[in-house]
Amino acid sequence: MPLYNAKFSSFGSFAPKKVVNNFDMEKLVETSDEWIRTRTGMFERHYASAEEAASDLAVHAATNAIEASSVKYKDIDLIIVGTVTGDHPFPSTGCMVQKKLGLKNIPAFDVSAGCTGFVYAVEVARNFVESGNAQNVLVIGVDVLTKITNWNDRNTCVLFGDGAGATIVSRAGKGDISRIIDALIFADGSQSDLLYQAAGGSRMPASHETVDKNLHTVYMEGNKIYKNAIRSMFASTEELLRRNKLEVKDIDWVVPHQANLRIIEGLAEKLHLPMSKVIVNIEKYGNTSSGTIPLAADEAIRSKKIRRGDMIVLTSFGAGLTWGSILARY
Ligand code: UT7
């Protein structure tokens, strides 16, 4: 039994200034605005500059989240960053964020779970808060996929953008209506070869050859991932509702990972959920990996779509393979 309840105190987000649209992509590879729109629902993406790394985006999003809450900087007692495109292989981007926010003597670490990084990081934070080991956890989902994109591969390069989102997972007070009710996270490492970055780790350290062969970029078998995506987000969401004795009609909003509008629509159809209850902003940002869910949630909260007390489901899938869902009253 948890000692305490955890809740989302607030959200924040950030996307870099440079915007690239489908017509810009047409100049880069053999593609078209029509193909990208109809196959993915994307139109624009934000790209980080040469000087911007994951922690730079993360700190902007974190600052926005902290300012939107009543939590003071000094009250944050843990930082968790979900990312696969950290500033460095080591140390963690969490440590970079801690340094930039000037927070001292608190733990900070990263979670690597592909596009499910934010969902995994929230689930870790929830456990810290429920067990009484933390009171206010700064959780960030950030990715800068354009830094590991193969610009000659039309199958992947049109899909990705850069962005960050953050939340503060806090101990809920007595009588607080906000609560993270439950969560489920999963992995299937036997399918890790469907989506990965081949070189740069201890399996294949960086060499002239790995650079020449473009092995430091994203490799993805999009079609196989696509089918897995709908199945896994549906299964984890359905199980989460079932074990909390809830039905789809009890959910006010689903905030899904934004990888492809057709995947999102496929999920909604399987759940018998109207698209009017699904938060979608893929046309503006593309796939920002761990950034998509907190970015979409933050926009929906700021535009007053998602309100305090609403029942929400966050659901994602990604490299690993990994997937999972979170059920919360915002
Ligand atoms: O974030 C977590 C992980 N990522 C994902 O969730 C992505 C999941 N996958 C997808 O969203 C989709 O599979 C894609 C958007 C990546 C691709 O859509 P698809 O409907 O599965 O297309 P496909 O891969 O089956 O390719 C269909 C055709 C191919 O041509 P042929 O072989 O039929 O002649 C591709 O070469 O579309 C072609 N194609 C393109 N054409 C124009 C692939 N990329 C492009 C492109 N522009 N950018």
Side-chain angles (χ1 to χ4, degrees):
M1 277 298 284
L3 285 174
Y4 301 99
N5 286 331
K7 66 170 184 179
F8 290 117
S9 274
S10 63
F11 277 82
S13 63
F14 178 77
K17 224 186 251 149
K18 184 175 178 188
V19 176
V20 174
N21 68 29
N22 290 350
F23 298 107
D24 299 312
M25 302 312 302
E26 287 180 355
K27 294 175 199 142
L28 199 68
V29 283
E30 185 70 38
T31 191
S32 66
D33 171 52
E34 208 257 330
W35 190 96
I36 302 172
R37 268 181 200 275
T38 54
R39 295 292 182 120
T40 73
M42 296 172 188
F43 180 60
E44 291 175 340
R45 315 120 189 93
H46 291 244
Y47 284 6
S49 68
E51 293 74 35
E52 282 174 312
S55 70
D56 301 308
L57 277 56
V59 162
H60 282 297
T63 307
N64 289 340
I66 295 165
E67 282 170 5
S69 77
S70 55
V71 175
K72 308 243 179 324
Y73 283 84
K74 68 172 178 46
D75 297 329
I76 292 168
D77 44 16
L78 171 63
I79 299 172
I80 310 176
V81 179
T83 189
V84 291
T85 49
D87 291 24
H88 310 284
F90 74 90
S92 72
T93 298
C95 289
M96 300 296 113
V97 170
Q98 187 211 33
K99 175 173 74 174
K100 288 179 180 172
L101 291 178
L103 300 174
K104 298 220 164 33
N105 293 321
I106 60 165
F109 59 89
D110 293 355
V111 167
S112 173
C115 300
T116 320
F118 180 75
V119 167
Y120 263 59
V122 167
E123 177 56 348
V124 176
R126 178 175 79 104
N127 279 279
F128 266 91
V129 171
E130 287 190 347
S131 62
N133 286 311
Q135 286 207 39
N136 294 292
V137 186
L138 173 60
V139 178
I140 301 163
V142 58
D143 269 305
V144 198
L145 288 179
T146 61
K147 306 271 180 167
I148 56 163
T149 294
N150 179 351
W151 298 107
N152 301 317
D153 178 14
R154 70 174 181 172
N155 291 289
T156 54
C157 76
V158 303
L159 306 173
F160 305 134
D162 302 327
T167 186
I168 301 171
V169 175
S170 303
R171 183 185 293 178
K174 285 207 169 61
D176 217 325
I177 60 164
S178 302
R179 180 160 84 90
I180 302 177
I181 298 164
D182 198 4
L184 282 166
I185 52 174
F186 299 96
D188 177 6
S190 71
Q191 300 197 74
S192 55
D193 56 351
L194 295 183
L195 176 53
Y196 72 116
Q197 181 184 335
S202 56
R203 175 70 52 205
M204 200 188 288
S207 67
H208 289 290
E209 194 190 351
T210 60
V211 172
D212 291 344
K213 290 185 172 165
N214 242 332
L215 296 175
H216 295 268
T217 57
V218 176
Y219 170 83
M220 180 171 77
E221 294 188 30
N223 222 285
K224 291 186 185 151
I225 296 278
Y226 185 102
K227 287 174 196 144
N228 264 294
I230 298 179
R231 217 175 20 237
S232 57
M233 287 196 295
F234 170 72
S236 57
T237 301
E238 199 192 35
E239 168 67 5
L240 202 51
L241 294 181
R242 195 194 54 74
R243 78 177 194 181
N244 287 281
K245 301 188 172 39
L246 290 171
E247 293 178 32
V248 171
K249 66 171 172 46
D250 300 319
I251 302 303
D252 295 302
W253 298 102
V254 170
V255 189
H257 174 44
Q258 315 275 313
N260 188 322
L261 181 59
R262 289 186 298 142
I263 292 176
I264 296 171
E265 289 171 344
L267 171 68
E269 195 182 316
K270 259 176 104 71
L271 285 170
H272 300 294
L273 178 80
M275 279 300 287
S276 56
K277 287 184 158 194
V278 184
I279 304 295
V280 180
N281 66 358
I282 194 170
E283 67 284 0
K284 289 196 293 180
Y285 299 102
N287 180 351
T288 60
S289 185
S290 277
T292 65
I293 289 180
L295 242 167
D298 184 44
E299 282 198 348
I301 290 162
R302 284 173 201 265
S303 66
K304 301 203 164 31
K305 267 188 174 177
I306 297 179
R307 292 165 187 270
R308 279 285 164 205
D310 282 357
M311 191 71 92
I312 60 172
V313 168
L314 316 180
T315 183
S316 192
F317 68 95
L321 299 178
T322 55
W323 64 98
S325 300
I326 296 167
L327 174 69
R329 208 173 260 294
Y330 178 62

